[in-house]
Amino acid sequence: MVDIKRLSTTQPDFWESLEQLVGWESHPGAELEQRVAEVVEGVRTGGDKALLEYTRTFDGLDAGSVAELEVSRERIEAAAQEICPESRSALEHAATRIRAYATRQRIDSWEYEDEDGNLLGQQVTAIDRVGVYVPGGKAAYPSSVLMNAVPARVAGVEEIVMTVPAPNGELSSLVLAAAKIAGVDRIFTLGGAQAVAALAYGTQTVPSVDKIVGPGNAYVAEAKRRVYGVVGIDMIAGPSEVLIISDGQADPEWIAMDLFSQAEHDEHAQALLVCPDFVYLDQVQAAMERMLPELERSDIVRESLAKRGALICVRDLAEAQDVANRVAPEHLELSVAEPQRLVGGIRHAGAIFLGHHTAESLGDYCAGPNHTLPTSRTARFASPLGVYDFQKRSTTLFCSPEGAAKLAESAAVIAHGEGLGAHAKAAEFRKAGHGEGN
Amino acid sequence: MVDIKRLSTTQPDFWESLEQLVGWESHPGAELEQRVAEVVEGVRTGGDKALLEYTRTFDGLDAGSVAELEVSRERIEAAAQEICPESRSALEHAATRIRAYATRQRIDSWEYEDEDGNLLGQQVTAIDRVGVYVPGGKAAYPSSVLMNAVPARVAGVEEIVMTVPAPNGELSSLVLAAAKIAGVDRIFTLGGAQAVAALAYGTQTVPSVDKIVGPGNAYVAEAKRRVYGVVGIDMIAGPSEVLIISDGQADPEWIAMDLFSQAEHDEHAQALLVCPDFVYLDQVQAAMERMLPELERSDIVRESLAKRGALICVRDLAEAQDVANRVAPEHLELSVAEPQRLVGGIRHAGAIFLGHHTAESLGDYCAGPNHTLPTSRTARFASPLGVYDFQKRSTTLFCSPEGAAKLAESAAVIAHGEGLGAHAKAAEFRKAGHGEGN
């Protein structure tokens, strides 16, 4: 049988077991931390020269200058031509839908007037320049390019700079084509902590950006954590997860394959099925048993299911909801007949997929919502990547002379209470009697 | 004369000088990092016991249990009664206005249907439990309590837990009263890295929260950076800054006092005045000279102006705008006759104060917009604290059978391109022909 843990809410230690199962130690360890610190500092102080050296060492890519590592417009065009028509139209289909969804997210500036003639508002602007990190080598993720670059473009970001490692020169045409479709402006074949450092601090050739987004390995994640504050970052992502709440009505093979599609990411990925019908859990396990051998990545799937997967039996769907809220999963499938009855009670989840036909993998690629999602229970406080992440707000305040005089009274009282005399005086100056504006 | 740097955009090295002036090294240094790591780890593993020890050591506060460090409802009520009526009504006035502004920020859930009958949306929920860190001891900041807790309440946060250090038992009634007005649920007299760790991981007595907000010293900032990911954090704040663009028409004393009100925060605070009229810059400097001796915090003001202040002469207001966009200041005053003509060209600023009567200090306390703002040029990518920070979004997707079948085609193509076969199969299963939902 496929090796996968079984839990039941009737066990007295259920919640502790669940806690243990979903726990993820995100700290990278002192050694990795130290190595990343050195690389980041190296690029910050050494610029292009350091960047070339690290790229030679880590990616086996020997270039005479960083300029040579920039992918030419011609090469990008050629890649877009070279991929098969089916791929091109699938990527375009996905981009169109991601754009349509993102457009709904845009927030606008607003302003209102209070009863004293003061104007209060917020002015929304886009980030000037964004860096998109894309993993490279064996794993080519064109979908990741679309999911990161399209919302940036929708937000109005002026320039999008992408980095993608090309270990030993290997570079995916699908990734380049996706970059063209998404409207990426410049691409450098750089990777790892050195790429993140170059984007954060800039070098002679790589422009510094204001925010870095996109997934990467442990080195990339730690480098992003390190430069956070110098630039913005999207998030520090942990392993991918899905929690499926099932009413036991979908074809067990659908659910089994959905669990596989999560588990195939890597051996730390987490696939959880929660259902009140234990017979159905058996049926899904049997379906997994049948289908697993056919999978291209069956070894990875087997390992991640054994390590971090679980079939969880609950009393009813209400309890399934409790389990989901405790886990705060990155992906949540509500594979039930009436998903709208459950969704309102979901407090924490990155993306919610409603109904039997809504496979997570449809959302991963082309439905429209973003696939960059909060992992490792961070959906308790974090949100999917969106246009929001590429917009920023400034508060605006205009005080009428009467409004200022009125506000000055409260401001001065509080300022005195905080021992900040100049604050109090600056406020009081705006009351009638002291000097004049114009 | 008051010691303050003078710069002019006509200098050939102006932009480099500006860059140097506003640069701020946010890295706390390895030693502080190490000490904070120990305290955080100590509380994580040692719980209440460790927390008590650190509080004894660092705050000189000797308690028998952490429960004793929780401020009782009676004590909070007493504080609210004990402060003077002027203070109470000023705090209430501020809270009302902060609430009114915050209410405009709330984002709502939405959903739309595409042409294939798929439903796409986003579900907005509030964070469950938030921790508000409030500095204590000599510096009592009731305004900070309001600015952090009120938007959380407006967002719908269920429980707000506040920590405020009470070194040697010293605790501000204004802070407690502000907490009551803002609707804080629980207060612990805890501070420093140990308070942050307790909020992040929870102890036997202190509940773990989902996000920690609020300002603090270098230890608090580093602790927040450290627990980021376990919980959300608002930001890592650097020294406070103001940049004032002046047309030379306001009373020079108004502007001088606005610069003072920034400089009085601490010796690292930054106050910059940008004006095309160099005679006016002299007048402001003369006003500073006259008024500085009367200030309660004149020593701090003198030091911060000398270290980090500047009077900057520009060719015209358009160039002043360029300077502001380069600095991306936390606070930006547009002390000009027609501020609306400038504001649209401002790309990066935390809070913008328009017109001669709009002193920053009015916004600091009671106008309505938040005073927790991005510092150290982070306004390039970050925004003021707001209701947004206490809400989170889940994307939602419901696929109709027809919609799923259509999406499955593109999804399968891209999934194959990424080498993720189970993703492709999970999508394809939703096409007609394979099994059945219900």
Side-chain angles (χ1 to χ4, degrees):
Chain A
M1 283 296 273
V2 174
D3 180 16
I4 183 166
K5 204 172 269 95
R6 288 185 163 238
L7 296 175
S8 166
T9 50
T10 56
Q11 298 166 234
D13 63 346
F14 170 75
W15 295 101
E16 290 78 11
S17 305
L18 182 68
E19 202 82 28
Q20 219 162 18
L21 181 68
V22 302
W24 181 256
E25 177 52 72
S26 69
H27 211 274
E31 197 189 314
L32 189 148
E33 224 175 297
Q34 183 54 34
R35 287 171 66 187
V36 167
E38 280 166 27
V39 170
V40 169
E41 192 54 20
V43 172
R44 189 171 81 88
T45 55
D48 276 357
K49 192 159 169 289
L51 195 50
L52 278 175
E53 272 174 33
Y54 290 126
T55 302
R56 200 170 291 135
T57 309
F58 297 131
D59 289 342
L61 197 61
D62 202 354
S65 71
V66 175
E68 285 177 32
L69 296 177
E70 182 162 4
V71 182
S72 68
R73 199 127 292 278
E74 293 70 38
R75 182 152 179 211
I76 298 168
E77 290 293 338
Q81 294 309 315
E82 170 187 320
I83 63 170
C84 67
E86 291 72 31
S87 290
R88 188 159 55 245
S89 82
L91 290 174
E92 275 163 2
H93 181 214
T96 302
R97 294 190 62 97
I98 296 165
R99 197 173 295 123
Y101 184 88
T103 302
R104 307 252 170 175
Q105 293 189 313
R106 239 175 350 210
I107 57 167
D108 293 314
S109 303
W110 46 256
E111 192 171 62
Y112 67 97
E113 185 172 346
D114 71 10
E115 61 285 5
D116 298 314
N118 302 310
L119 297 172
L120 298 96
Q122 89 183 0
Q123 175 163 299
V124 180
T125 47
I127 292 177
D128 281 347
R129 197 188 279 142
V130 163
V132 175
Y133 186 95
V134 178
K138 279 180 296 176
Y141 295 124
S143 62
S144 185
V145 177
L146 300 182
M147 292 290 181
N148 283 281
V150 169
R153 202 90 281 175
V154 170
V157 169
E158 276 171 32
E159 190 174 12
I160 302 175
V161 181
M162 185 176 120
T163 63
V164 54
N168 307 307
E170 219 180 299
L171 191 54
S172 154
S173 295
L174 286 168
V175 162
L176 295 182
K180 179 175 147 61
I181 290 166
V184 168
D185 296 293
R186 301 178 70 179
I187 305 175
F188 291 90
T189 53
L190 293 167
Q194 62 273 21
V196 173
L199 290 171
Y201 295 105
T203 69
Q204 293 82 348
T205 308
V206 180
S208 64
V209 302
D210 302 300
K211 184 164 186 168
I212 301 175
V213 299
N217 62 21
Y219 292 89
V220 172
E222 174 56 21
K224 281 167 68 182
R225 190 198 300 271
R226 196 145 194 102
V227 300
Y228 166 59
V230 177
V231 295
I233 62 170
D234 49 351
M235 60 184 75
I236 307 289
S240 193
E241 324 131 15
V242 71
L243 185 148
I244 304 177
I245 294 181
S246 164
D247 61 5
Q249 299 301 309
D251 185 325
E253 294 199 347
W254 290 18
I255 300 302
M257 195 56 77
D258 288 355
L259 295 169
F260 286 164
S261 75
Q262 193 55 236
E264 75 174 337
H265 277 292
D266 60 68
E267 68 274 22
H268 302 299
Q270 185 153 58
L272 308 174
L273 173 59
V274 182
C275 179
D277 178 354
F278 74 91
V279 175
Y280 186 76
L281 292 175
D282 288 339
Q283 291 169 344
V284 171
Q285 191 164 5
M288 290 203 274
E289 191 64 28
R290 266 196 317 278
M291 298 192 299
L292 204 147
E294 311 156 24
L295 292 183
E296 292 148 289
R297 297 163 70 94
S298 59
D299 287 351
I300 295 173
V301 170
R302 204 179 286 279
E303 189 177 349
S304 82
L305 289 178
K307 262 190 182 165
R308 303 200 69 221
L311 305 176
I312 301 172
C313 194
V314 289
R315 290 181 183 84
D316 50 31
L317 290 177
E319 201 175 48
Q321 223 174 17
D322 295 341
V323 173
N325 284 333
R326 186 71 74 97
V327 173
E330 181 191 13
H331 303 95
L332 174 64
E333 273 188 33
L334 302 179
S335 182
V336 299
E338 295 182 280
Q340 298 292 356
R341 294 182 61 166
L342 278 188
V343 70
I346 298 301
R347 295 208 39 80
H348 317 293
I352 308 173
F353 304 88
L354 292 90
H356 297 307
H357 281 81
T358 315
E360 185 211 307
S361 84
L362 301 177
D364 283 346
Y365 290 119
C366 56
N370 212 285
H371 79 190
T372 306
L373 300 166
T375 60
S376 311
R377 302 191 67 227
T378 59
R380 292 175 295 120
F381 54 84
S383 300
L385 190 76
V387 171
Y388 312 95
D389 293 282
F390 302 104
Q391 293 187 309
K392 57 210 166 56
R393 300 164 269 116
S394 303
T395 62
T396 58
L397 173 66
F398 166 86
C399 291
S400 66
E402 308 71 44
K406 232 161 129 179
L407 289 172
E409 294 186 28
S410 292
V413 170
I414 304 177
H416 281 305
E418 298 189 350
L420 297 173
H423 278 69
K425 285 209 183 84
E428 282 165 342
F429 277 6
R430 265 65 177 196
K431 292 209 272 190
H434 185 98
E436 193 47 25
N438 82 325
Chain B
M1 283 294 275
V2 174
D3 180 17
I4 184 166
K5 206 172 268 95
R6 287 184 162 239
L7 296 174
S8 166
T9 51
T10 56
Q11 297 166 234
D13 63 346
F14 170 75
W15 295 101
E16 290 79 8
S17 305
L18 181 70
E19 202 81 28
Q20 221 163 16
L21 181 68
V22 302
W24 180 256
E25 177 53 71
S26 68
H27 212 274
E31 197 190 314
L32 188 148
E33 225 174 295
Q34 183 55 33
R35 286 172 65 188
V36 167
E38 280 165 26
V39 171
V40 169
E41 192 54 21
V43 172
R44 189 171 80 89
T45 56
D48 277 356
K49 192 159 169 288
L51 196 50
L52 278 175
E53 272 174 34
Y54 290 126
T55 302
R56 202 169 290 133
T57 309
F58 298 131
D59 289 342
L61 197 62
D62 203 353
S65 72
V66 176
E68 284 177 32
L69 296 177
E70 180 161 5
V71 183
S72 68
R73 200 126 292 278
E74 294 70 38
R75 182 152 178 211
I76 298 168
E77 289 293 340
Q81 295 309 317
E82 167 188 322
I83 63 170
C84 67
E86 291 73 29
S87 290
R88 188 160 53 245
S89 83
L91 290 174
E92 275 163 3
H93 180 213
T96 302
R97 295 190 59 98
I98 296 165
R99 197 173 295 122
Y101 183 89
T103 302
R104 306 251 170 175
Q105 294 191 313
R106 238 174 354 207
I107 58 167
D108 294 313
S109 303
W110 47 256
E111 191 169 63
Y112 67 97
E113 186 171 343
D114 71 11
E115 61 284 5
D116 298 317
N118 302 310
L119 298 172
L120 298 95
Q122 87 184 1
Q123 175 163 300
V124 180
T125 46
I127 292 177
D128 282 347
R129 196 188 279 142
V130 163
V132 175
Y133 186 95
V134 178
K138 278 181 296 177
Y141 296 124
S143 63
S144 184
V145 177
L146 300 182
M147 292 290 182
N148 283 282
V150 170
R153 202 90 279 177
V154 169
V157 168
E158 275 171 33
E159 189 175 12
I160 302 175
V161 181
M162 185 176 119
T163 64
V164 53
N168 308 308
E170 220 180 299
L171 190 53
S172 154
S173 295
L174 286 168
V175 162
L176 295 182
K180 180 176 146 63
I181 291 166
V184 168
D185 297 294
R186 300 179 71 179
I187 306 175
F188 291 90
T189 52
L190 293 166
Q194 62 274 21
V196 173
L199 290 171
Y201 295 105
T203 69
Q204 293 82 347
T205 308
V206 180
S208 65
V209 302
D210 301 300
K211 184 164 187 168
I212 301 174
V213 299
N217 62 20
Y219 293 89
V220 172
E222 174 56 21
K224 280 167 69 182
R225 190 198 300 272
R226 197 147 191 99
V227 300
Y228 165 59
V230 177
V231 294
I233 62 170
D234 51 351
M235 58 183 75
I236 307 289
S240 194
E241 324 132 13
V242 71
L243 185 147
I244 304 177
I245 294 180
S246 164
D247 61 6
Q249 300 300 309
D251 185 325
E253 293 199 347
W254 290 19
I255 300 302
M257 195 55 77
D258 288 355
L259 295 169
F260 286 165
S261 75
Q262 192 56 235
E264 76 175 335
H265 277 293
D266 60 70
E267 68 274 22
H268 301 300
Q270 184 153 59
L272 307 174
L273 172 60
V274 182
C275 180
D277 179 354
F278 72 91
V279 174
Y280 185 76
L281 293 176
D282 288 340
Q283 292 169 344
V284 171
Q285 192 164 4
M288 291 203 274
E289 191 64 27
R290 267 196 316 279
M291 299 192 299
L292 203 147
E294 311 156 25
L295 293 182
E296 291 148 289
R297 296 163 71 94
S298 59
D299 288 350
I300 295 173
V301 169
R302 205 178 285 279
E303 190 177 347
S304 83
L305 289 178
K307 263 190 179 164
R308 303 200 70 219
L311 305 176
I312 301 173
C313 193
V314 289
R315 290 181 183 85
D316 50 32
L317 290 178
E319 201 175 48
Q321 222 174 20
D322 294 342
V323 172
N325 283 334
R326 187 70 73 97
V327 173
E330 182 192 12
H331 303 95
L332 174 64
E333 273 188 33
L334 303 179
S335 181
V336 298
E338 295 183 279
Q340 296 293 356
R341 293 181 61 165
L342 279 187
V343 70
I346 298 301
R347 294 206 41 78
H348 316 294
I352 309 174
F353 303 88
L354 292 90
H356 297 306
H357 281 81
T358 315
E360 186 211 306
S361 82
L362 301 177
D364 284 346
Y365 289 119
C366 56
N370 211 286
H371 79 189
T372 306
L373 299 166
T375 60
S376 311
R377 302 192 66 227
T378 59
R380 293 175 295 120
F381 56 82
S383 300
L385 189 76
V387 172
Y388 312 95
D389 293 280
F390 303 104
Q391 293 186 309
K392 56 209 167 56
R393 300 164 269 115
S394 304
T395 63
T396 58
L397 173 67
F398 167 85
C399 291
S400 67
E402 308 71 45
K406 236 163 127 177
L407 289 172
E409 294 186 28
S410 292
V413 171
I414 305 177
H416 280 306
E418 298 190 349
L420 296 173
H423 279 70
K425 285 210 183 83
E428 282 166 341
F429 276 6
R430 265 65 178 196
K431 293 209 272 192
H434 186 98
E436 195 45 28
N438 82 324

